[in-house]
Amino acid sequence: MLEIKNIDAFYGKTQALYDVSIRVNQAEIVALIGSNGAGKTTTLNAISGLLRPASGSIEFLGEKITGRKTFSIVEKGICHIPEGRRPFADMSVRENLEMGAYLPRVWKNREKALEQIFAVFPVLEKKQNLLARALSGGEQQMLVMGRGMMSNPKLCMIDEPSSGLAPILIAEIFRIVQTLRDQGMTILLIEQNVRHSLEIADRGYVIENGRVVLEGKGKDLLGDDMVKKAYLGL
Ligand code: ATP
């Protein structure tokens, strides 16, 4: 579905990605793991067109999207849920979700999209008329995920969804990510919670200092000595 080949990316003169190649197949969860500043968010930014790679290519559904404008990448079916969950605080939950349906082809079907989102996130249905600012941190994370899903994406990139949440909510967010995959969604996931993300990931990539240093099945990476030592504290 998504094929990143040999991309280099820079912020000004500083190189952030070196020859990064990543593949995501349909209905997979692919985890990107690595320490702070490794280049995970930069990789997502390159895919969604927020940062233009200096070299290499990115193909989505067989079409080159490298260097395209973000809106045309969203239109092709990629959604990017950035870290930091920022719903529109003074809009209702329902209005926030509707903001995710601004593409003309999606707007027509927004009621159906809402129904699907409410089936995955029942709490959003219950609280649809409340202002987003009244939601807990976990509910706000669900809201920004739901808002992204409203565009009916084929690939969803989620950056640090569990960051700052209590353990019970972290488990709930991971359960939802799995449910989305089981329903056929393809997910590229960044998580500091390495154990949990590799447990649910079909495959994963370890990024260090802007380079992919290891890739494999989620379960195999969990058993890898380097991963155990560097990311699992074992
Ligand atoms: P984190 O979990 O801390 O976000 P990350 O793996 O997502 O880590 P990136 O945010 O992709 O890392 O950062 C990769 C490198 O690029 C880091 O050295 C970072 O300092 C640098 N960087 C990120 N954003 C910018 C920016 N807007 N301008 C300049 N340098 C940046």
Side-chain angles (χ1 to χ4, degrees), residues 11 14 16 34-43 83 159-160 190 192:
Y11 291 104
T14 310
S35 32
N36 287 343
K40 305 177 300 296
T41 299
T42 303
T43 303
E83 186 182 359
D159 196 342
E160 303 276 4
I190 295 184
Q192 291 290 345

Side-chain angles (χ1 to χ4, degrees), residues 12-131:
K13 290 191 174 151
T14 310
Q15 186 158 3
L17 298 180
Y18 297 82
D19 201 29
V20 166
S21 296
I22 287 171
R23 180 169 47 86
V24 183
N25 300 318
Q26 188 153 6
E28 271 191 326
I29 296 174
V30 172
L32 296 187
I33 64 173
S35 32
N36 287 343
K40 305 177 300 296
T41 299
T42 303
T43 303
L44 299 198
N45 289 345
I47 298 166
S48 58
L50 294 168
L51 181 72
R52 194 190 174 109
S55 57
S57 71
I58 304 176
E59 276 184 21
F60 179 59
L61 297 172
E63 202 179 312
K64 204 168 158 201
I65 58 166
T66 334
R68 282 222 198 153
K69 294 269 191 301
T70 299
F71 70 83
S72 97
I73 292 172
V74 173
E75 203 151 47
K76 267 199 75 66
I78 296 183
C79 94
H80 183 170
I81 300 167
E83 186 182 359
R85 44 176 174 279
R86 287 191 202 95
F88 300 104
D90 292 321
M91 290 170 75
S92 73
V93 166
R94 190 184 178 93
E95 286 165 341
N96 264 275
L97 291 171
E98 286 176 349
M99 290 297 285
Y102 68 92
L103 293 173
R105 71 172 158 78
V106 179
W107 186 251
K108 281 188 295 190
N109 301 314
R110 66 188 180 284
E111 287 303 324
K112 185 151 184 279
L114 267 173
E115 253 174 54
Q116 287 166 348
I117 302 298
F118 288 154
V120 181
F121 305 99
V123 68
L124 297 183
E125 181 169 27
K126 214 168 86 193
K127 301 197 172 179
Q128 61 181 294
N129 296 318
L130 293 185
L131 291 184

